[in-house]
Amino acid sequence: MNAEPHGTRETVTYALTGARGGFARTLLAQTRLTADVQPAVLCDLDTEGVLALGAELGLPAEGPGSLTVVTDRAGLDAARAAGRTAVVADVALLAEASYDILVEATGNPAVGYRAARTALAGGRHVAMVSKEVDSVSGVELAALAARHGVVYTTATGDQPANLIQLFTWASGLGLDIVAIGKSSEYDLVYDPETGTVTQLDQTVHAPALGGLLKLADGPDGVRTTLAARAEAVTALKRSAAADYCEMAVVATSTGFTPDVEAMHYPVARTAELADVYALREHGGVVTRPGVVDVFSVLRLPEEASFAGGVFVVVRTHDSITWETLRQKGHVVSRDGRYACLYLPYHLMGVETPTTLRDAVLRGIPAGSPTPTQHAVLAGRATQDLTAGTVLTMGGHHHEVTGVAPVLLPVADAPAGTAPLYLAAHATLVRDVAAGALLTLDDVSGYDPDLLAAWTAGRAAYPATPVPATTTP
């Protein structure tokens, strides 16, 4: 059943794929509190696990608002009539269900793409949580949504949507944006008493950080300090495939692209971001305006976390205005040329109801309505890989075994470069040397529909790319 026209109803109903995942839990927990945003169908292979999750969240065992496993259209209709939420294992059943918007959270590129495509073609909106899906097929899915008069959107609560919205806000103010980005998932917490630094559940000795808590002076002071900090925490793995994937999604809506394919990943304190992301001629790390990047937060135990938040760095222009703002506690570079505006949070599904309301009731996406493939999330072999190797994807961050993610501006990606999450779970048909970019010719067994979506989206990239800067 198609979604009702924008603004004709007060309650928004959603279907949710990947209903046993961490994001799904936060959304389900939150929409217990939102009478106007309610789950209609939950899809996951582990239906019993979904029922157990419902019990953990305190959902009623029977009657309206309770969960019930169904296996066919009749079961879907019966659940709807009784005011219950249907739980299904077969994603194909979503085509028969009644709901307004699909929240796609499987993290599976092929399954997620098909679920989103079916929803859009059926006249339903889609909120895409699976950045792996979006990085390969988001441009084509947005075009499909436009053809069917519905909304395809990133989901507020995840960093891509939050950063795109912050970028849009800053652009609308006429601010001259130089760099945008987010913090990595886990802070680096330095304890001066022990000389150790902790990242999540890993603690290493890093006594050198004690003398590196402030940026050094001089034209090369920022870069010298950042290099020394990186060396001090070299035992910690700070980058993640998820970071690259999220920034690939951001690139499609903003036109901002990475400065270097591995991104800079500076170890920085929040108050330093305006100095760190200044142009190189002003002492920072950025070689040009229009850069998207990720940084690792360095903080003391008693200091607040950046909490996986997002930032924009802008040129200040009017010195008096920004000196006034510096006095009010805003982050302004030491030379006064740059300022950093940031949101120190991303609340996962806790925030997502705002996206669902905007899409269904107002027809507004949390991102560009016409995304463009400005960047390619690709992969470089981290070791010599032999023909027959299966490029397994797994773990919390959906890393691909033997392959490091890299993010390339479209213009820098050689023809035939394989998008990372198209190659995931595919099989190598020939040897690939360490350091080589994966190409489509290197792999077989990838999903043909996903390839078609990637090819269509990639072909839509304009012959003359739009400029990444936001002001002349």
Side-chain angles (χ1 to χ4, degrees), residues 156-170 181-183 270 273 295 297 305-313 330-331 340-347 351:
T156 304
D158 264 5
Q159 290 103 324
N162 288 15
L163 181 51
I164 293 164
Q165 289 179 319
L166 182 61
F167 169 88
T168 301
W169 169 80
K182 53 160 269 189
S183 71
T270 301
L273 291 177
F295 80 103
V297 178
S305 171
F306 204 81
V310 297
F311 69 87
V312 299
V313 171
H330 289 274
V331 175
C340 178
L341 312 173
Y342 62 96
L343 299 174
Y345 63 85
H346 77 295
L347 300 179
E351 277 188 278

Side-chain angles (χ1 to χ4, degrees), residues 427-438:
T427 301
L428 290 179
V429 297
R430 59 189 182 189
D431 295 347
V432 176
L437 270 178
L438 288 179

Side-chain angles (χ1 to χ4, degrees), residues 313-333:
V313 171
V314 303
R315 300 183 203 255
T316 56
H317 294 302
D318 183 58
S319 60
I320 295 176
T321 293
W322 287 96
E323 185 56 33
T324 299
L325 292 172
R326 186 205 298 272
Q327 293 166 7
K328 292 179 179 293
H330 289 274
V331 175
V332 179
S333 63

Side-chain angles (χ1 to χ4, degrees), residues 179-380:
I180 63 177
K182 53 160 269 189
S183 71
S184 55
E185 188 163 357
Y186 305 115
D187 294 356
L188 303 178
V189 184
Y190 176 69
D191 186 343
E193 294 185 4
T194 63
T196 60
V197 63
T198 299
Q199 180 180 250
L200 192 58
D201 56 358
Q202 186 178 4
T203 298
V204 299
H205 286 283
L209 284 180
L212 299 170
L213 293 177
K214 293 184 178 180
L215 296 173
D217 294 327
D220 296 321
V222 170
R223 295 189 293 273
T224 299
T225 303
L226 295 179
R229 287 176 180 171
E231 179 64 26
V233 299
T234 190
L236 298 172
K237 182 182 184 301
R238 297 185 289 112
S239 66
D243 294 337
Y244 290 87
C245 194
E246 287 168 349
M247 295 304 95
V249 173
V250 169
T252 65
S253 275
T254 65
F256 277 42
T257 55
D259 209 10
V260 291
E261 66 174 37
M263 294 193 287
H264 289 292
Y265 273 100
V267 177
R269 307 186 76 178
T270 301
E272 301 168 348
L273 291 177
D275 289 284
V276 169
Y277 286 105
L279 294 173
R280 284 186 68 86
E281 58 260 37
H282 301 142
V285 302
V286 176
T287 63
R288 57 172 174 81
V291 165
V292 63
D293 204 64
V294 176
F295 80 103
S296 297
V297 178
L298 174 63
R299 66 176 177 88
L300 302 178
E302 68 274 13
E303 293 177 332
S305 171
F306 204 81
V310 297
F311 69 87
V312 299
V313 171
V314 303
R315 300 183 203 255
T316 56
H317 294 302
D318 183 58
S319 60
I320 295 176
T321 293
W322 287 96
E323 185 56 33
T324 299
L325 292 172
R326 186 205 298 272
Q327 293 166 7
K328 292 179 179 293
H330 289 274
V331 175
V332 179
S333 63
R334 294 177 295 186
D335 64 10
R337 286 188 172 100
Y338 300 89
C340 178
L341 312 173
Y342 62 96
L343 299 174
Y345 63 85
H346 77 295
L347 300 179
M348 300 178 69
V350 175
E351 277 188 278
T352 304
T354 61
T355 294
L356 307 188
R357 294 185 187 107
D358 281 345
V360 175
L361 301 178
R362 291 175 279 279
I364 300 172
S368 171
T370 55
T372 301
Q373 203 70 53
H374 291 288
V376 178
L377 175 62
R380 285 194 185 278

Side-chain angles (χ1 to χ4, degrees), residues 12 14 16 23 26-28 30-31 34 37 101-104 127-129 153-158 161-162 347-359 366:
V12 172
Y14 67 89
L16 173 64
F23 177 91
T26 63
L27 177 59
L28 289 169
Q30 192 61 27
T31 52
T34 55
V37 180
I101 185 166
L102 171 68
V103 181
E104 209 306 302
M128 182 56 69
V129 176
T153 179
T154 51
T156 304
D158 264 5
N162 288 15
L347 300 179
M348 300 178 69
V350 175
E351 277 188 278
T352 304
T354 61
T355 294
L356 307 188
R357 294 185 187 107
D358 281 345

Side-chain angles (χ1 to χ4, degrees), residues 431-448:
D431 295 347
V432 176
L437 270 178
L438 288 179
T439 70
L440 293 172
D441 290 338
D442 292 329
V443 291
S444 69
Y446 47 76
D447 187 89

